[in-house]
Amino acid sequence: MLLSRKLAALPAGRYAKWAVLLVWIALVMVAVPNAGRLADVVEDKSAAELPRGAQSTRVEELTPRFPGGEMAPGLVAYVRDGGITAADRARVQADRRALAPVADGPIAPPAASRDGRALMLHIPLSDGETLSPKAEKIRDQVEKNAPPGLQIRLTGPAGSALDVGDAFQKIDKLLLIITMVLVTAVLLFTYRSPLLWLLPLANAAISLQVTSAVVYLLAKHAGLYVADGMSSILNALVFGITTDYALLLLARYREELRRHPDRHEAMRIALHRAATPIIASAATVCLGLLCLLAAKMGFNYALGPIGAIGVLGGLIVVMSLLPAMLVIFGRWIFWPRIPRYGDTPPVHGGVWDRIGRRVAAHPRLIWIGGMAVLAGLSAGALGINTGLDREHFLTTTPSSTIGERLLNAHYPGDQTRPLQVVTDASGTDSITSALRNVPGVARVEKPQPSADGRLTRTEVVLSAPTDSQAAKDAVKRIRDTVPQATVGAGAASELDLADAQAHDRRVVIPLVLGVVLLILMALLRALVAPLLVIATVVASYFAALGGGWLIFHYVFDFPALDTQVALMGFLFMVALGVDYNLFLLSRVREEVELASHRTGVLRGLGLTGGVISSAGLVLAATFGVLGVMPITMMVQIGVLVALGVLLDTFLVRSIIVPALALDVGRRFWWPGRLGTRPPAHAQTREPVHH
């Protein structure tokens, strides 16, 4: 304990503060160049995102054994409603010749549709770093000087990858700018200071740079997987959580500046007293994220350690650099509302003081009414449709989706994403014959042998669209008919993804709840309070899910909820939502030690209400920014988490939890010491508001 206090006091030391600042300057100088390279290690291969151990993942892993390696072909659709003309055929042949140097293999002659209104060009491309640049060259070539009346679209895996890459490239920098503007606005509103807001914002930016650098180095040298879209989630998480911790420390530091003439001593005490809830919060979020290591989905599994790195980065910056900077700048950084030694805060009349008194007047009626509001919002979740199809992967309709529709309208089955069936070479003929007889199979291509001759890979085109239940049922029939085969890609991947997401929800959600419950029990030294808090946070999650679905369905016109959103939303909302309850109840417990239970609850609410509300606004803003992304899943995660944080901040934490604590009384702390008898040194103190 003595060692931890000495370590905590380092940033507040008269000389050590300068050493801490110099260390961070050196770290930033190293971090910034590496953080700028994070985009270089983002993986665009699908294998890493697929479920671990699934058949579709195994097919992806076996792909390099076949000629051409991992392929992501581009399919070019040429469609004329009045029928393909001789000039159209000449144009397609010209494109075929022009694209030969770009392709990673010979381009077959164009395939004509039976109705004579479409031609399809299949361009082999390797799934790697060159995929997007080559797909862009193909798109530019085929769309250049298109003849009137001839629709030309690049689709297939290459077209989809290009559209997704374009969407992320256009939005990443804009997201960061919008995030910084929103956080600045909240901080200016909170502190009404032209200077103080710069410190939390600067610390959040430094946290993001350091975190991004660490993630880049681990991806480059230790094989850490970084997927498309992960940097956007990391930005929101790091900015939000670093600012939250900074706000909590600043509030405690301002309290201590009124009690101590020496700012170094004030910071030392503020650090010591704020450390417990901040570290407990970081531990909650980190361990909650690390529960994703039990997930099957590659994206979920990889987000765990990357998110935990971001949270730890924010924690270390706020507990070391921010205190040093605050002590170096002195009290004037709070100008014009400078906290002076001996100042007394207003005792009555504050917003949170008034809210607390109204809650205390009828606590049972208040918490029952609050839970009824959450239950009403939760009812919206009863009509949720899950399983967003690829056509709605982006919020707009990309060129590749239009091309896919064109091909599906003129060719049998789903040409853009066929199944891949891998088998031992010895039984190829019988398996091919069996595949042709499976209901739902439109076409079976000629098997392709592996380089060593031991395996064969057969492409199978289904008659139903890849995202449909009929296609998934066809995959199940194929797997039952040829159990010795490994079936992947197309609808098989969609089926395995849905199964993996269901597994992850069953496994990860109970793990997260267990971790959060244990941390709350350790911090509050009670059982009743943690159980009640967990119940309210889960209730707010379902309320946000129901309210969010109403927004998605009636405002955004999304047909369904992405299967990934329910788990991501739960993880962030529970782990981050518990943060505010940790901040509140750790302070309430501290005040109950000095006063009666009722006074301690009201005083804790009054002292933390302002800072926690500001923190909630910051976190909601940083995740809400994801709502401007062109990726439907990101929009849904951002809106869901922002709505959940706002509900948790302004209803659950500020009204329902205090009402429950007041209604249950001192048993709220059972079986801890505070739950059985009042502290011997307790004294009556009136609640105050800062």
Side-chain angles (χ1 to χ4, degrees):
M1 180 66 73
L2 182 61
L3 178 61
S4 64
R5 289 187 179 184
K6 288 183 177 180
L7 290 174
L10 273 177
R14 296 183 182 276
Y15 304 105
K17 63 188 178 188
W18 296 105
V20 170
L21 181 62
L22 290 174
V23 168
W24 272 107
I25 290 174
L27 287 173
V28 170
M29 291 176 66
V30 173
V32 169
N34 288 296
R37 300 188 185 103
L38 180 59
D40 297 342
V41 295
V42 172
E43 293 278 354
D44 55 4
K45 295 182 180 180
S46 57
E49 294 188 25
L50 291 174
R52 296 181 296 150
Q55 284 197 38
S56 53
T57 307
R58 180 60 179 156
V59 167
E60 290 283 348
E61 293 169 347
L62 291 172
T63 299
R65 295 178 60 177
F66 292 89
E70 298 181 55
M71 304 301 291
L75 303 180
V76 184
Y78 299 83
V79 177
R80 185 181 292 276
D81 293 337
I84 294 294
T85 65
D88 295 336
R89 294 189 182 90
R91 168 58 190 265
V92 176
Q93 290 295 348
D95 284 345
R96 181 188 175 202
R97 290 191 297 270
L99 294 173
V102 179
D104 295 317
I107 303 177
S113 63
R114 291 182 180 178
D115 60 12
R117 293 187 291 176
L119 292 171
M120 178 176 62
L121 204 59
H122 184 286
I123 305 170
L125 295 173
S126 297
D127 186 5
E129 295 179 358
T130 62
L131 177 60
S132 291
K134 288 187 175 184
E136 188 171 10
K137 290 180 181 178
I138 293 171
R139 185 175 63 186
D140 292 343
Q141 169 64 33
V142 299
E143 293 183 357
K144 181 174 60 178
N145 301 322
L150 182 64
Q151 300 181 68
I152 306 176
R153 298 285 178 174
L154 172 64
T155 185
S160 298
L162 182 59
D163 286 335
V164 173
D166 286 348
F168 278 112
Q169 186 177 14
K170 293 175 182 176
I171 203 68
D172 272 349
K173 291 182 180 179
L174 179 62
L175 274 179
L176 191 56
I177 293 171
I178 295 175
T179 300
M180 294 179 71
V181 169
L182 286 176
V183 171
T184 298
V186 174
L187 293 175
L188 281 171
F189 175 78
T190 301
Y191 292 112
R192 296 175 176 84
S193 167
L195 301 170
L196 186 60
W197 64 274
L198 287 167
L199 294 187
L201 194 65
N203 277 260
I206 290 170
S207 298
L208 184 58
Q209 291 296 306
V210 172
T211 298
S212 298
V214 171
V215 171
Y216 164 75
L217 292 172
L218 290 175
K220 185 73 173 177
H221 303 290
L224 182 67
Y225 167 60
V226 184
D228 273 336
M230 204 167 282
S231 60
S232 300
I233 294 178
L234 189 64
N235 288 350
L237 180 63
V238 172
F239 249 89
I241 211 155
T242 303
T243 308
D244 279 5
Y245 296 162
L247 288 170
L248 189 68
L249 179 60
L250 276 167
R252 200 64 194 245
Y253 178 49
R254 184 158 52 182
E255 282 186 47
E256 300 303 329
L257 284 174
R258 296 189 179 105
R259 297 173 181 159
H260 302 277
D262 182 13
R263 67 182 188 275
H264 300 85
E265 178 68 8
M267 178 56 76
R268 185 186 65 78
I269 295 174
L271 264 177
H272 174 66
R273 290 180 175 173
T276 298
I278 290 177
I279 292 173
S281 165
T284 302
V285 182
C286 282
L287 292 175
L289 285 164
L290 290 177
C291 289
L292 288 173
L293 292 175
K296 282 189 175 181
M297 276 291 298
F299 185 93
N300 296 345
Y301 179 84
L303 181 60
I306 289 177
I309 291 168
V311 174
L312 288 176
L315 173 68
I316 294 169
V317 168
V318 169
M319 297 302 287
S320 57
L321 177 60
L322 180 60
M325 294 176 72
L326 285 168
V327 175
I328 288 171
F329 282 115
R331 295 174 187 261
W332 67 267
I333 196 68
F334 289 89
W335 184 86
R337 299 161 65 182
I338 301 176
R340 308 287 185 184
Y341 172 58
D343 284 353
T344 54
V347 178
H348 295 294
V351 172
W352 293 104
D353 181 59
R354 293 196 298 270
I355 290 174
R357 290 179 182 276
R358 290 178 181 177
V359 169
H362 305 284
R364 184 167 300 175
L365 181 64
I366 292 293
W367 74 255
I368 290 176
M371 293 300 287
V373 171
L374 296 180
L377 287 172
S378 299
L382 298 176
I384 286 181
N385 296 322
T386 56
L388 199 68
D389 56 35
R390 288 185 62 86
E391 185 169 329
H392 294 90
F393 180 77
L394 299 178
T395 55
T396 57
T397 304
S399 178
S400 61
T401 297
I402 297 173
E404 186 172 341
R405 291 174 183 172
L406 291 173
L407 290 181
N408 290 340
H410 297 282
Y411 293 85
D414 192 338
Q415 304 291 323
T416 59
R417 286 174 286 160
L419 298 180
Q420 293 183 5
V421 181
V422 179
T423 61
D424 289 333
S426 57
T428 301
D429 293 339
S430 60
I431 289 175
T432 301
S433 176
L435 289 172
R436 290 195 176 99
N437 294 323
V438 174
V441 171
R443 189 174 74 252
V444 179
E445 301 287 355
K446 182 180 178 181
Q448 179 192 40
S450 62
D452 58 11
R454 296 181 179 179
L455 301 174
T456 59
R457 180 176 63 186
T458 306
E459 288 195 351
V460 176
V461 177
L462 300 179
S463 56
T466 297
D467 297 312
S468 66
Q469 185 59 46
K472 295 181 177 67
D473 292 340
V475 172
K476 293 177 183 177
R477 288 193 292 269
I478 290 173
R479 286 176 172 172
D480 291 340
T481 302
V482 285
Q484 68 273 37
T486 306
V487 184
S493 293
E494 299 292 335
L495 177 63
D496 290 342
L497 288 171
D499 290 345
Q501 288 287 8
H503 165 273
D504 291 354
R505 289 193 294 271
R506 290 194 305 269
V507 173
V508 175
I509 287 177
L511 278 176
V512 172
L513 288 175
V515 165
V516 170
L517 179 62
L518 290 175
I519 292 176
L520 282 170
M521 290 170 60
L523 180 68
L524 301 177
R525 282 162 274 177
L527 178 60
V528 173
L531 288 173
L532 290 176
V533 167
I534 287 289
T536 60
V537 171
V538 171
S540 70
Y541 164 73
F542 282 106
L545 193 63
W549 170 246
L550 296 178
I551 294 173
F552 300 144
H553 187 62
Y554 293 106
V555 178
F556 290 95
D557 197 28
F558 294 150
L561 197 70
D562 190 278
T563 54
Q564 196 129 333
V565 171
L567 177 60
M568 291 291 103
F570 178 87
L571 178 68
F572 287 122
M573 286 172 54
V574 171
L576 297 173
V578 166
D579 272 8
Y580 302 133
N581 288 289
L582 281 170
F583 296 160
L584 168 68
L585 293 179
S586 62
R587 189 58 186 264
V588 166
R589 194 181 193 286
E590 184 180 330
E591 296 299 327
V592 169
E593 291 273 7
L594 303 173
S596 67
H597 174 75
R598 180 181 184 277
T599 300
V601 171
L602 297 181
R603 186 175 175 84
L605 177 61
L607 287 167
T608 61
V611 62
I612 294 178
S613 299
S614 298
L617 285 174
V618 168
L619 194 62
T622 56
F623 272 91
V625 169
L626 296 178
V628 305
M629 291 191 71
I631 313 298
T632 304
M633 181 190 75
M634 292 298 181
V635 172
Q636 292 180 340
I637 290 175
V639 172
L640 181 63
V641 175
L643 179 60
V645 168
L646 291 174
L647 282 173
D648 198 76
T649 302
F650 294 103
L651 178 59
V652 174
R653 193 274 315 161
S654 59
I655 295 176
I656 296 178
V657 170
L660 280 168
L662 290 168
D663 189 29
V664 174
R666 193 167 287 278
R667 289 171 298 176
F668 189 71
W669 307 105
W670 186 89
R673 176 175 54 83
L674 290 180
T676 55
R677 64 181 187 277
H681 56 283
Q683 51 184 321
T684 302
R685 296 200 310 188
E686 288 297 317
V688 299
H689 171 71
H690 281 238

